[in-house]
Amino acid sequence: MQADVRQVADGTYLVHGSNTNWVILTEGDAVTLIDTGYPGDRELVLSSLAAVGSSPEAVTAVLITHAHNDHLGSAEYLRSTYGTPVYLHEAEVPHARREFLQQVSVGAVLKNLWRPGVLPWLVHVLRSGGTEQHPVTAPEAFPAAVGPLDLPGRPVPVHTPGHTDGHAVFHLPEAGIVVSGDALVSGHATSRVRGPQLLPDMFHHERARAVASLDVIEGLAADLLLPGHGPLHQGSVKEAARQARERAV
């Protein structure tokens, strides 16, 4: 199986994995990788790097929007095998180490099995290693407190708590792009809605904070949204955040 790699701007690629997206930012021979899919997506991650003419050795850093298993999947593999630093918001660092887990419980999923799409999604999670734990042994907080990171693509981390305490989106101001992780998505296997939205309630650690973080995203100047789930969304990210807020009421 090959990853679905789509160039969305110069040096910027949105990759659709088995059920989760990640983003590759290239600059010359160097790469920033944002998120890494499920544990079972490892070969897709590696093939996506090859598809853009790169390799895991060229990855300068792995940036993680949040430390859920479907985004953290291959982060420790890249760190331990290639020495790639793994960066997250400081509030998410202990989550990546699995000092605690802010993720939907098995009980909550079972209570929602009656909802359309939940059972097929759960089967996929099990097949993709989504219930396995692959903590990052030595995660690091973003090396810059504010402003762009000195990495390919010059991404700017923006704290958007709610889905998890340390969730962050990445703003690429010059390209007019927001890499939104799970703070704002355009679809999900358990959602019948298409277009900008929050994930279903059971996935959020604190739903009220997730809704509030849409205000933060609304303030980011961009016209391309690269979500953690769902297709690329073209159009005002400000309007996308507003639409998600209206749907969340």
Side-chain angles (χ1 to χ4, degrees), residues 151-185:
L151 296 170
R154 305 284 289 170
V156 180
V158 180
H159 189 206
T160 49
H163 187 64
T164 65
D165 285 346
H167 190 290
V169 304
F170 297 96
H171 188 206
L172 311 179
E174 293 184 7
I177 290 172
V178 172
V179 181
S180 59
D182 286 3
L184 174 59
V185 302

Side-chain angles (χ1 to χ4, degrees), residues 108-125:
V109 172
L110 294 178
K111 288 179 182 178
N112 284 273
L113 278 183
W114 62 273
R115 296 182 183 277
V118 173
L119 181 57
W121 167 81
L122 177 59
V123 171
H124 176 82
V125 168

Side-chain angles (χ1 to χ4, degrees), residues 71-110:
H71 296 258
L72 197 67
S74 289
E76 174 60 15
Y77 165 76
L78 292 168
R79 191 205 66 80
S80 62
T81 305
Y82 300 100
T84 314
V86 177
Y87 295 120
L88 311 91
H89 186 274
E90 60 182 357
E92 200 72 0
V93 166
H95 194 194
R97 286 196 295 255
R98 286 298 180 258
E99 294 178 14
F100 55 81
L101 184 60
Q102 295 178 343
Q103 188 157 305
V104 62
S105 67
V106 173
V109 172
L110 294 178

Side-chain angles (χ1 to χ4, degrees), residues 2 6 11 17 27 29 33 59 67 79 84 115 120-121 126 136 171 179 189-190 194 216 226 228 243:
Q2 293 293 312
R6 304 192 181 197
E27 189 175 292
D29 294 331
L33 177 62
V59 179
R79 191 205 66 80
T84 314
R115 296 182 183 277
W121 167 81
L126 296 173
V136 180
H171 188 206
V179 181
T190 64
R194 294 293 175 263
V216 177
L226 280 54
Q243 186 175 354

